[in-house]
């Protein structure tokens, strides 16, 4: 209708967002399946698989097509029509995208608080990719709408389609950066990167402060899903402390009963 590359980029971004939300929903449902004999550690990593697919979709559908269309406008400029309709659509989109971004921001902030992490730290190193993916994509949508509105206004001001092409390229570049971040984050999660040093330190403090344990060696702790980690270590136990605790738990029941029975038999 408008012939605007910026509007096409935003339309593609909205379509990509819809597809990504469906993919993330599939990932959440599959990740909560109970462990079975074939997958004893469960399906928690499914979140990373589907979030990775979502990131790839943003890169090719959102970034690739937007950049291509922006270059095409630069090479073959054409007039933009119905500018006020485009600006009205962008205004409505800004309100809707801003509302969803605010909700995603609150969710991620709450998750970061529970993990005792800052927002930036959680976005970079948090174990749940779903909230971060929604936050990044909605944030890119809000910025994209603002960029689109500015570029279309410049088109009207200078009576030139060049700002529209620049807007399409800028939105494509923005989506490419978001997609690259999500792909890298989920790639690292799929190869099971180590847990956050603060969490590992808490686990080690609990083990080292237990009198039953003499030492802990060969520690390997990796993330396998949202709020799910795998911890492996070689632990040297204190035999005296193990025996002492065992006797403390059993002395009031079985041991006294056996002692009383033996004593009566001798009498």
């Amino acid at each position: 209708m408008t012939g605007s590359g910026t509007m096409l980029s935003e339309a593609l971004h909205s379509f990509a967002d819809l597809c990504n939300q469906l993919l993330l929903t599939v990932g959440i449902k599959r990740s909560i399946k109970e462990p079975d004999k074939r997958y004893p550690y469960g399906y928690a990593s499914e979140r990373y698989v589907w979030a990775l697919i979502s990131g790839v979709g943003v890169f090719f559908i959102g970034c690739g097509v937007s950049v291509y269309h922006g270059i095409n406008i630069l090479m073959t400029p054409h007039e933009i029509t119905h500018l006020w309709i485009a600006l009205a659509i962008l205004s409505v989109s800004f309100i809707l995208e801003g509302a969803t971004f605010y909700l995603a921001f609150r969710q991620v902030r709450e998750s970061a608080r529970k993990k005792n992490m800052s927002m930036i730290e959680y976005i970079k190193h948090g174990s749940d990719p779903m909230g971060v993916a929604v936050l990044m994509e909605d944030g890119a949508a809000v910025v994209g709408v603002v960029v689109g509105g500015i570029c279309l206004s410049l088109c009207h001001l200078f009576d030139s389609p060049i700002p529209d092409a620049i807007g399409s390229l800028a939105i494509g570049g923005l989506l490419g950066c978001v997609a690259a971040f999500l792909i890298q984050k989920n790639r690292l999660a799929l190869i099971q990167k180590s847990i956050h040093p603060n969490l590992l330190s808490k686990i080690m403090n609990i083990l080292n402060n237990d009198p039953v344990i003499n030492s802990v060696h060969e520690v390997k702790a990796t993330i396998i899903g949202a709020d799910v980690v795998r911890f492996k270590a070689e632990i040297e136990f204190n035999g005296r402390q193990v025996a002492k605790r065992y006797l403390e738990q059993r002395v009031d029941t079985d041991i006294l009963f056996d002692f009383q029975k033996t004593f009566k038999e001798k009498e």
Side-chain angles (χ1 to χ4, degrees):
M1 178 182 291
T2 64
S4 167
T6 300
M7 290 299 294
L8 177 62
S9 297
E10 281 302 306
L12 289 172
H13 187 190
S14 298
F15 175 73
D17 273 348
L18 174 61
C19 295
N20 291 337
Q21 301 306 318
L22 294 176
L23 290 173
L24 295 178
T25 301
V26 172
I28 291 174
K29 289 184 177 181
R30 292 182 64 88
S31 68
I32 60 177
K33 291 171 61 177
E34 294 294 329
D36 51 37
K37 292 182 179 179
R38 189 175 181 182
Y39 297 98
Y41 288 105
Y43 297 83
S45 296
E46 286 269 10
R47 290 185 179 224
Y48 303 125
V49 175
W50 292 95
L52 179 62
I53 296 173
S54 171
V56 172
V58 171
F59 186 82
F60 284 102
I61 298 176
C63 171
V65 178
S66 296
V67 170
Y68 169 79
H69 201 70
I71 295 174
N72 185 56
I73 294 175
L74 286 176
M75 296 178 66
T76 57
H78 56 267
E79 183 182 0
I80 298 175
T81 60
H82 302 94
L83 180 62
W84 299 111
I85 295 177
L87 292 175
I89 294 173
L90 289 176
S91 299
V92 174
S93 297
F94 179 80
I95 296 173
L96 297 177
E97 296 288 2
T100 58
F101 174 76
Y102 175 71
L103 294 175
F105 178 84
R106 287 184 57 185
Q107 179 62 39
V108 172
R109 183 180 61 184
E110 180 65 19
S111 298
R113 187 188 63 79
K114 290 180 179 179
K115 296 288 185 180
N116 293 321
M117 301 168 69
S118 66
M119 276 281 294
I120 300 299
E121 191 178 17
Y122 184 83
I123 290 173
K124 290 181 177 180
H125 306 294
S127 59
D128 188 357
M130 300 303 184
V132 173
V134 173
L135 176 68
M136 295 292 290
E137 291 172 8
D138 287 345
V142 172
V143 175
V145 169
V146 174
V147 170
I150 293 174
C151 289
L152 289 179
S153 299
L154 292 175
C155 288
H156 176 68
L157 181 64
F158 295 106
D159 193 22
S160 170
I162 300 302
D164 180 56
I166 295 174
S168 183
L169 291 172
I171 293 172
L174 175 64
L175 294 177
C177 291
V178 170
F181 174 81
L182 294 177
I183 290 171
Q184 176 68 359
K185 178 179 176 64
N186 289 283
R187 183 188 70 84
L188 293 175
L190 282 173
I191 59 178
Q192 297 187 4
K193 69 175 182 179
S194 60
I195 65 176
H196 194 275
N198 291 343
L199 178 57
L200 180 60
S201 178
K202 290 180 181 179
I203 296 174
M204 293 302 299
N205 285 336
I206 293 174
L207 294 175
N208 290 327
N209 292 328
D210 193 328
V212 171
I213 298 175
N214 280 339
S215 59
V216 182
H217 310 279
E218 297 293 330
V219 176
K220 294 180 180 179
T222 58
I223 298 172
I224 63 174
D227 301 321
V228 181
V229 302
R230 178 165 57 189
F231 183 88
K232 172 189 172 296
E234 295 181 6
I235 298 177
E236 180 182 347
F237 290 96
N238 185 321
R240 291 180 178 274
Q241 288 293 332
V242 172
K244 180 180 178 181
R245 287 197 178 185
Y246 177 79
L247 292 174
E248 287 176 351
Q249 293 176 1
R250 306 275 293 183
V251 70
D252 293 332
T253 56
D254 297 345
I255 293 179
L256 286 180
F257 178 80
D258 292 341
F259 177 81
Q260 184 181 21
K261 182 178 180 181
T262 303
F263 182 79
K264 288 183 178 181
E265 288 178 352
K266 288 182 178 180
E267 288 183 338

